[in-house]
Each structure stands twice: as C-alpha cells, then as structure tokens.
Amino acid sequence: MEAHVVNPWVAAAYLIAGICFILALRGLSSPATSRTGNRYGMIGMAIAVATTLVTHEIASLPEILVAIAIGGGIGFAIARRIPMTAMPQLVAAFHSLVGLAAVLVGIAAYYNPAAFGILEPGGLDILKGSRIEMGLGVAIGAVTFSGSVIAFAKLNGNMSGAPILLPARHVINLGALLAIVVLVSLFHWNTPTLFWAIVLLSFAIGFLLIIPIGGADMPVVVSMLNSYSGWAAAAMGFTLHNTAMIITGALVGSSGAILSYIMCKAMNRSFISVIAGGFGAEAGAGGAAAATDRPWKRGSAEDAAFLMKEAENVIIIPGYGMAVAQAQHIVREMADQLKAHGVGVKYAIHPVAGRMPGHMNVLLAEASVPYDEVFELEDINGEFAQCDVAFIIGANDVVNPAAKTDRSSPIYGMPVFDVEKAKTIFFIKRSMGGQGYAGVDNDVFYMDQTMMLLADAKKMVEDIVKALAD
Amino acid sequence: MDFISILSIFVLACFVGYYVVWSVTPALHTPLMAVTNAISSVIVVGALVAAAAQGSPLAKWLGLGAVVLASVNVFGGFAVTARMLAMYRKKDKAAPKAGVKR
C-alpha cells in the first residue's frame, strides 16, 4: 500500500474540487441560487483538471489539448442546440459517455498500471486490491454505457418504447449478474481473459437490464443510470486512489439513488418491480374494450374558452403528452390570456410526469412560465376542491382516481391528483381509444363534470387561445 | 493512502450527497441530473493520467479517447445546465435587468 505517495497539495486541490461539487448540488435547493451553484461546479472541474495536468509529467500535451478541444466543442455544440423536449435522451446519452470513459480508463490502467502507481512495491503486477476495484469500476462503467445506450434509443424513438421481453430473462439476468460478481472476485488472479470477460459480460447485462423496461418507467431508469455513472466514477477513484473521483462519485451515486427512490415512490412501485420490467405490456387490451360502452361528453375549444374565462381559478396538469405535442409555449399563452381575464392560473406537476425527474418543470420554464406558479403534487392537491377548472393536457394515469379506490388496479396506491373534486374538468386527449401508459381505464373520462377535448394537444390549445381572444 | 482512509472519504461523501440532494427542489431535478452528469465526468482526471503517461501506446490512446468522451460531458453538461437554469424565472422578472435584487 505504501506504493502511493500523495502530494499534499494535490490532495488539498482535490478536496477543494470536491467541496465545489457539493456547493454545486447545494445551489440547486432553489432556482435563485442554482446558477451560482453551477459556476462552482465548473470551478471544481477546472481545479481538478488543472491539478492533474500540473502535477503529472505530460508526454503528450498537444494530443491532450486536441482531445479536450474536440470533446469540448462537440459537447458545447450539442448543449447549445438541443431542444428542451429532448433533454431525457440527452441525459441518457451523456450517462453512456461517462460509462464508456470509465471503461476506457479502466482498460488503460490495466495495461499501464505504472502510470497510475498501482503496481505492487517492487513487482510488476497490479496490487490485488486495486484489481478488484478496477474490475468493479469497469463492470459498473460498462453496465452504465450499454444500459444508457438502450435508454437513449428508447427515449429518442430509435427503438420502440414498449418493453421487449425475452423468455427466461430473469434467469439470464441473475445468472449474468452472478457471473460478474464471481469474475470480479476471481480477478485477484490477474489474467487478461478474466478482465475482458468482465468487460464483455457487463456490456451485455446493461443491455439486457434495460430492454424489458417500458417508456413511462424511464424516469426510474434514467435516475438509476445517473446513479451508476457516479458509482463507476467512485470505483475508478478507488482504483486510482483519487479523492476527487471518490467524492464526486459518491455525490452523484447518492443523487441518482435518491431520484430513483422518489420516482418509484411516486408510482407506488418497488425498485425491483421496475427493474424486472414488462410493466404495461400485458394490460391494455382488457381496459380498452370496456372503454367504448360508457357515456362521455365531448367538449369544444369554445366551451373550454368560455368556461375558463368565467372561472376564478384554473389548475393546469401537464403530462408527457404536452412534451410530445410541444405544446408548452401555447399553454403558457393560454394562461397569459386567462390571467388577463382575471383568472388565477396554477400548474400542478406530478413527480413522474414526463420521461425524467423534473421534465415538466424544465419545459414550463422554457416556455417562460414563472416557477412560483408551478406546484408539486403534495403542495397543490388540497386546492382541487376549491378549483373551478382542472385542465389536463397529456397526462392520464396521474389523475386516475382508481389509484385511490380500486385495489385491483395496477396503479393502486400511486399518489394522484384529486381532479375529480374540481367543478369542471377539461381532458385533452388524442382519442378515446388510448389508455395511458398503465393500460387502465380512467373514471375521470365519464364524470358529469368532465368534457373530453379530443384532438392533438397543441392544436386544441391553439383553438382555445383563438376562442379566448374573440 | 490506505484503503480505510479512502473508504472513510467515500462513506462520508455518500452521506453528504444524501443530505444535499434531499434539499434539492423537485422543480430542479432535471438540472440536477445534468449537473451530476457533468461532475461525474471528473473521471477525465483518470483519463488525463492515462493519456499523459509514457510506456504503453495502447493505454495512451485509450486515455485520449476517454478524454474526448469526458470532455463532451464536462462542457456539454455544464453548458446545458446553465442553459436550463437561465430559464427559471420568478413572476415579474421575465426580463431581468442588471441591478435587480434577488
């Protein structure tokens, strides 16, 4: 273990970088402090990189600068151009890069251990402990990479969002996971075969883990991969005895884990059942048949405009459908018009609305909706009883009262908005056929106070805006 | 550094992460993911060491590859976070001017 001589200045610099990263996350406790926080993050990264460059003998500075310029240029260009609706797939793509980078660093360390100071004293072999940590880091990195690639393909529409179910997938997955654990623990016998077996098997398991998971469970998957990218960085930090990587990895790892927990809780599902996958694959059929028989009322854009203009307060509940239709800007215009008529407008956001945590908040922020008009589930749910109009756009399962009453429903126990307490409900939906992600019928469609607005979300809101202007 | 001190740093950092992240407002969960993504690219440090070292051309090129990937994340992650955070505005501050107090 004495092979490592740590320069105290380097250790101090990494510590400062770590503190900057903590402040970056801390800043996100409110939008007002978040921008300063982000700057701390950049400072921390600059310190970490500069320290590394200054304290190592650099044999290839030009190449490194070119590499940074290429990567930085690509990253910057993507960040500038990406539309806000594409944020979930961007985040998934970024996770995959962290995973792959971890794998590459692991392989590099395996083939040039002297550079990282992880050789046994006087020997030519890599330290035993470092090998295990390295195996772990490479494995987590590879899982993060291939899992994120699949998540990206699903979110980006390159691949169907529907769960893909292999026969005996649980057996395959558990077997592969077990094999990885065994291989990593056997890795104290240092053989390249073992090393590459870990890498390849981990790539495979990441792929197998994510393909059976359906589109609306993506908030959990994206958070989970976020967490893995952190653990991968931490494991590489253990291998390379690098405190900056360990601190950061721990922060990111726990962040992703907490987000996964929040998402699971908001769906009342266990993490295991989400990862087992297949949710929403079988349901669908039964509910759809029953749907057509029950009476429902169709509303028009004019009805909606008239009733909302007369209302005292309106609560808008956006869901993934609003993101798909890119309707956030026109929704804000509608809200502006309503406010001009003296109507109070609030937005209600469910934690799992959209395809990643906070997805709806970002879209509304993009449409210049002030964040103090946007409320979380528990903060606004009491207000539906005094609310004149609940306006549901692109959401479905999160307003389904079956979650509160029907024990046999797949979404039973999920916290939902009490929209049925509102005096009038407008429900924008493409058609009466679609059943939402969970594949369950929604009693709200058939309530006396509900008017269904069947159209493309954006088109319908545009018509309402026109009707309001008349 | 011996294993146990490294482990101590790791465990304590997990606790710090736990408490700090619970204090993040749900409205900022997407920027949280973007910024955690950016900072987890601190793995670029390892990539730089690999790319800078002599001895193994394979390790050097792998390192350079990892530097490119991690740089995409560092620059992309922080830039996209900044872009998102710039959109979060309070009421009546749609067009904030210099000198407006927070």
Side-chain angles (χ1 to χ4, degrees), chain A residues 102-103 106-107 133-143 195 198-199 202 235-236:
Chain A
V103 174
I107 300 174
E133 292 155 359
M134 183 189 285
L136 209 57
V138 170
I140 304 174
V143 170
F195 181 77
I198 294 173
V199 174
S202 305
M236 292 318 296

Side-chain angles (χ1 to χ4, degrees), chain A residues 174-353:
Chain A
L174 284 178
L177 273 182
L178 211 66
I180 291 175
V181 173
V182 172
L183 287 177
V184 169
S185 49
L186 287 180
F187 193 42
H188 60 90
W189 293 318
N190 182 11
T191 72
T193 328
L194 220 54
F195 181 77
W196 287 104
I198 294 173
V199 174
L200 294 179
L201 205 54
S202 305
F203 277 129
I205 190 83
F207 175 78
L208 291 170
L209 266 180
I210 309 300
I211 53 167
I213 302 179
D217 278 344
M218 280 300 150
V220 181
V221 170
V222 176
S223 319
M224 181 186 85
L225 292 166
N226 185 233
S227 181
Y228 286 1
S229 70
W231 302 133
M236 292 318 296
F238 271 96
T239 318
L240 312 178
H241 295 237
N242 184 308
T243 45
M245 275 157 83
I246 292 172
I247 296 176
T248 316
L251 290 176
V252 177
S254 33
S255 163
I258 290 172
L259 289 176
S260 316
Y261 169 80
I262 295 175
M263 294 299 114
C264 286
K265 199 138 185 273
M267 296 193 288
N268 190 38
R269 302 190 42 217
S270 73
F271 186 68
I272 299 293
S273 88
V274 173
I275 296 310
F279 190 68
E282 304 89 356
T292 45
D293 306 339
R294 301 168 64 182
W296 50 277
K297 269 190 299 212
R298 185 180 193 132
S300 68
E302 289 73 26
D303 298 335
F306 177 76
L307 278 165
M308 286 199 284
K309 211 165 16 177
E310 301 300 312
E312 213 162 285
N313 48 44
V314 172
I315 299 179
I316 300 174
I317 301 148
Y320 183 57
M322 182 186 81
V324 175
Q326 300 263 16
Q328 65 271 26
H329 298 280
I330 192 77
V331 166
R332 201 257 309 144
E333 262 181 60
M334 181 183 85
D336 286 348
Q337 291 222 19
L338 289 174
K339 280 190 263 180
H341 283 98
V343 184
V345 181
K346 286 179 179 176
Y347 299 81
I349 308 229
H350 195 278
V352 291

Side-chain angles (χ1 to χ4, degrees), chain A residues 26 35 60 79 82 95 98 357, chain B residues 23 30 37 51 60 73 83 85:
Chain A
R26 177 71 200 147
R35 290 170 272 264
S60 48
I82 190 90
H95 288 157
V98 178
Chain B
S23 75
T30 296
N37 194 266
K60 178 185 148 183
N73 252 352
R83 204 182 125 199
L85 293 177

Side-chain angles (χ1 to χ4, degrees), chain A residues 371-388:
Chain A
Y371 62 78
D372 38 6
E373 288 177 10
V374 182
F375 296 87
E376 302 300 317
L377 173 66
E378 60 268 32
D379 297 330
I380 201 168
N381 221 6
E383 295 185 27
F384 283 101
Q386 294 89 43
C387 151
D388 293 320

Side-chain angles (χ1 to χ4, degrees), chain A residues 55 58 102 108 133 137 153 176 209 239 258 370 391 435 450:
Chain A
T55 54
I58 309 285
E133 292 155 359
L209 266 180
T239 318
I258 290 172
F391 188 87
Q435 294 295 311
T450 304

Side-chain angles (χ1 to χ4, degrees), chain A residues 26 28-29 35 41 45 59-60 63 71 75 79-80 82 94-95 98 112 115 226 242 246 248 357-359 370-372, chain B residues 3 6 23 27-28 30 36-39 45 51-54 60 62 72-73 75-76 78 82-83 85 88-91:
Chain A
R26 177 71 200 147
L28 291 171
S29 58
R35 290 170 272 264
M45 189 61 72
S60 48
E63 286 104 315
R80 290 284 298 274
I82 190 90
F94 278 173
H95 288 157
V98 178
N112 194 3
N226 185 233
N242 184 308
I246 292 172
T248 316
H359 191 184
Y371 62 78
D372 38 6
Chain B
F3 181 73
I6 294 187
S23 75
L28 293 175
T30 296
T36 49
N37 194 266
I39 65 174
V45 166
Q54 279 170 316
K60 178 185 148 183
L62 288 172
V72 173
N73 252 352
F75 288 84
F78 282 122
R83 204 182 125 199
L85 293 177
Y88 283 80
R89 295 285 173 208
K90 252 191 160 153
K91 231 176 272 182

